[in-house]
Amino acid sequence: MTIKRLHHYNAVFLLLFIVAHITNHMIGLVGIENHIAIMDMLRVVYRVQVIEIAVFILFFSQIALGLGLILKRGMPRVRWAWIQAISGVYIAFFFLLQHLSAVIMMRLTYAQLDTNFYWAASVVQANPMGWYFFPYYAFGIMSIFAHLTAAIHFRWPDAVILRPVLLASGVVLGLAIPASLIGSFYEVSLPQEYLDYLRDTYPSWLVTQN
Ligand code: HEM
Ligand code: HEM
């Protein structure tokens, strides 16, 4: 089995999680209660210990396989290959390694805090730290959509309508989801335990509240 094939099959499995996860955050655009209710339902599946560990292992493997592909393929020659490589590098080094480590660290060292909407909102709302976390989440979503659009470009070159639709969805969701976390669509006030988490975890000058 080639690295490309492994990356492909792994992507099919990971996309089940990614679609559910991003849809869950889309529901957060209209309110926190529904978002949390759906997250509780999804957790019945992905929080089963063996599934959760498998999800982490497969994401880390996907990063390693993706890097292997970049090294093997060498310098990209066409625009979509550049988009695939740059989005892959962003997903790996600037988004997923941090996102996955943050979730793992929470499970291991701060397990009393529910890592729900408010957890993500806490870091985006903190000032000045939110200036880092807003674009971090925005480009995370955009990179996933760009990466998949490139895959569709190479696999189904005739799907010309799908590409701009996917890219535009990535930009809109990339901006809208972090905007929901900072309270652009309805008021989001952080419960005390999330304020305590910020205070316990980060230097005070990074996490003043607006
Ligand atoms: C969430 C993680 C990821 C998913 C869901 C994903 C998904 C995909 C998919 C579906 C393809 C097309 C495969 C095919 O058509 O057979 C692909 C190709 C590719 N991915 Fe990823 N990917 C992920 C992460 C990464 C990372 C982290 C990197 C690099 C650091 C990367 C680099 C690449 C490259 C270079 C290709 C082109 C392969 C080739 O045509 O030779 N991917 N990816
Ligand atoms: C704005 C975008 C995103 C936000 C706000 C966000 C937020 C979160 C939150 C709050 C959790 C904890 C979930 C829980 O405790 O049940 C989580 C977990 C996770 N996220 Fe994201 N996420 C985003 C995008 C992504 C993307 C694009 C990916 C993958 C490519 C991803 C992969 C994961 C994984 C693997 C977990 C661990 C799930 C588990 O606990 O087993 N996230 N994320």
Side-chain angles (χ1 to χ4, degrees), residues 3-15 18 58-74 76 80-81 84-93 95-96 144 147-148 150-152 154-156:
I3 307 182
K4 186 174 167 169
R5 225 160 237 278
L6 281 172
H7 193 76
H8 174 98
Y9 289 133
N10 204 10
V12 174
F13 180 80
L14 292 181
L15 278 171
I18 293 172
L58 291 179
F59 267 110
F60 284 120
S61 314
Q62 191 72 340
I63 292 171
L65 290 166
L67 290 175
L69 280 171
I70 289 182
L71 293 177
K72 193 172 148 211
R73 231 172 44 165
W80 281 102
Q84 205 159 33
I86 292 170
S87 58
V89 167
Y90 184 87
I91 295 167
F93 291 113
F95 185 71
L96 267 187
I144 283 287
H147 199 69
L148 295 174
I152 285 170
F154 288 118
R155 223 154 242 281
W156 297 288

Side-chain angles (χ1 to χ4, degrees), residues 4-148:
K4 186 174 167 169
R5 225 160 237 278
L6 281 172
H7 193 76
H8 174 98
Y9 289 133
N10 204 10
V12 174
F13 180 80
L14 292 181
L15 278 171
L16 292 175
F17 175 85
I18 293 172
V19 169
H21 194 50
I22 291 181
T23 307
N24 191 200
H25 284 293
M26 280 166 62
I27 293 164
L29 299 180
V30 289
I32 302 177
E33 269 174 27
N34 288 342
H35 165 84
I36 289 183
I38 303 285
M39 184 174 260
D40 285 341
M41 283 158 64
L42 292 172
R43 281 176 172 177
V44 172
V45 180
Y46 71 72
R47 282 286 191 95
V48 173
Q49 205 174 24
V50 58
I51 298 180
E52 187 168 34
I53 292 172
V55 167
F56 282 116
I57 292 175
L58 291 179
F59 267 110
F60 284 120
S61 314
Q62 191 72 340
I63 292 171
L65 290 166
L67 290 175
L69 280 171
I70 289 182
L71 293 177
K72 193 172 148 211
R73 231 172 44 165
M75 189 69 84
R77 270 181 237 122
V78 293
R79 191 175 39 171
W80 281 102
W82 274 107
I83 293 175
Q84 205 159 33
I86 292 170
S87 58
V89 167
Y90 184 87
I91 295 167
F93 291 113
F94 297 93
F95 185 71
L96 267 187
L97 285 178
Q98 184 177 342
H99 195 53
L100 300 181
S101 316
V103 177
I104 293 170
M105 285 306 287
M106 291 303 289
R107 302 276 186 275
L108 297 178
T109 63
Y110 215 99
Q112 71 274 23
L113 194 76
D114 187 351
T115 48
N116 61 18
F117 182 95
Y118 291 111
W119 177 59
S122 70
V123 291
V124 185
Q125 286 193 13
N127 194 11
M129 204 165 65
W131 290 97
Y132 166 79
F133 274 104
F134 190 107
Y136 156 86
Y137 276 127
F139 288 124
I141 297 273
M142 289 178 203
S143 301
I144 283 287
F145 276 80
H147 199 69
L148 295 174

